[in-house]
Amino acid sequence: MESNCYLGKTRRNNIRLHDIGGVICAGNTAMIHFLLGFDPSCLRKEPYIPVCTHPPPIRAEEVGIRINPRGLLYTLPSIASWVGADITAGILATGIYRQDELSMLIDIGTNGEIVIGCRDWMICCSASAGPAFEGSGVKDGMRAGEGAIEKVKITDQGNVHYTTIGGGKPRSICGSGLIDILAQLFKAGFIGRSGCLQRGVDGRIMDGDGELEFLVVPSSQTKRSDDIVITQPDIESLLRAKAAIFAGANILTKSLDIDFSDISRIYG
């Protein structure tokens, strides 16, 4: 296993791989199973019990990670089948477990996880949100990589301002950009509460392939040969994903007999 990410960082910082004595890894339960060679089929079958939630350290070279031959690979513990070690990492990074006041952590992805808690207790759940927030199943969606539109602002005049990962011409839109576009379209009045594009409100709302779509970036400004748009079906997919995550958060608050107003911080 070789990662351009960690190889690049070691070279830039003049660190020899032989000098690295340990690697700490976090990921969802399925990814940890793949990494360690566990059979992941149990995660797709009731009662969805993982092979292991707290794997012991192993030699990193056993899974092909090239550091010191005696170096160890540590994987953070998963919480359950669909609440993985990435959520454990999020809890540690945000410091929820040290805080007196209530906080919420939301991990937005195909499987959206929600944690509510404080230093005394924590409760979590997961919600099947689908891949829309990861750019999949969206006409001009992509993962968060070079050229992905990650931030969007729509002015009162209907002008679209955006930033891309890497700063170059846009290729498509990643999850954070899609969330921004939804919010900005609503604030600008281009979609209503139902999420329907309002025909005739602005010249950027056009007919395309039998569905209305909003022009985000014209082809002349992209790194491809066609326009970057968000379509009505895209918006509907994103709203369903948002609804699934909100439903999970809402169920958690109701099970605790609290309101969202009782939560001091939300991390995402």
Side-chain angles (χ1 to χ4, degrees):
M1 175 188 297
E2 290 191 6
S3 166
N4 290 332
C5 179
Y6 88 79
L7 289 177
K9 287 181 178 179
T10 55
R11 288 167 183 161
R12 284 195 301 272
N13 292 282
N14 198 27
I15 298 172
R16 297 187 308 162
L17 294 177
H18 186 83
D19 294 333
I20 299 174
V23 173
I24 300 174
C25 177
N28 65 43
T29 310
M31 293 299 105
I32 296 297
H33 275 53
F34 291 139
L35 174 65
L36 299 179
F38 297 155
D39 179 5
S41 62
C42 55
L43 301 176
R44 294 290 294 170
K45 301 173 184 176
E46 290 187 82
Y48 312 111
I49 297 175
V51 171
C52 181
T53 57
H54 198 159
I58 63 171
R59 297 287 183 198
E61 66 178 1
E62 292 182 38
V63 293
I65 297 177
R66 297 192 301 114
I67 58 173
N68 187 293
R70 296 185 60 81
L72 296 177
L73 168 67
Y74 302 88
T75 51
L76 292 182
S78 297
I79 299 167
S81 299
W82 299 110
V83 184
D86 49 345
I87 305 307
T88 305
I91 291 169
L92 292 171
T94 56
I96 289 175
Y97 67 98
R98 293 195 302 258
Q99 297 171 8
D100 292 321
E101 65 275 8
L102 282 182
S103 297
M104 176 184 285
L105 167 65
I106 303 176
D107 181 81
I108 298 174
T110 301
N111 193 53
E113 296 94 350
I114 304 104
V115 180
I116 297 177
C118 59
R119 66 187 306 165
D120 297 319
W121 56 268
M122 279 180 281
I123 186 172
C124 61
C125 74
S126 64
S128 180
F133 283 134
E134 295 180 346
S136 182
V138 175
K139 181 178 180 181
D140 288 330
M142 66 175 288
R143 65 178 181 83
E146 190 83 15
I149 295 173
E150 60 174 343
K151 293 182 181 179
V152 177
K153 171 72 174 177
I154 300 176
T155 67
D156 293 337
Q157 293 74 37
N159 298 318
V160 178
H161 301 284
Y162 58 86
T163 59
T164 62
I165 296 175
K169 285 188 174 183
R171 293 169 51 209
S172 284
I173 315 166
C174 67
S176 61
L178 291 167
I179 293 171
D180 268 3
I181 290 172
L182 270 188
Q184 292 293 312
L185 286 174
F186 180 71
K187 288 175 66 176
F190 295 158
I191 60 174
R193 293 189 65 83
S194 65
C196 293
L197 286 166
Q198 307 296 306
R199 188 187 298 272
V201 170
D202 188 86
R204 285 180 175 266
I205 299 176
M206 311 173 297
D207 283 299
D209 297 328
E211 298 281 356
L212 288 179
E213 58 188 30
F214 179 83
L215 175 63
V216 181
V217 186
S219 59
S220 60
Q221 299 174 21
T222 70
K223 201 173 182 179
R224 39 191 262 187
S225 59
D226 56 346
D227 298 333
I228 295 176
V229 301
I230 185 167
T231 69
Q232 187 63 59
D234 294 340
I235 292 171
E236 291 166 4
S237 294
L238 291 164
L239 288 179
R240 284 193 295 270
K242 179 260 184 188
I245 293 173
F246 177 77
N250 198 38
I251 288 170
L252 274 189
T253 57
K254 288 187 181 301
S255 69
L256 295 167
D257 196 25
I258 63 172
D259 295 319
F260 284 104
S261 59
D262 296 319
I263 297 171
S264 299
R265 293 185 180 90
I266 297 179
Y267 300 95

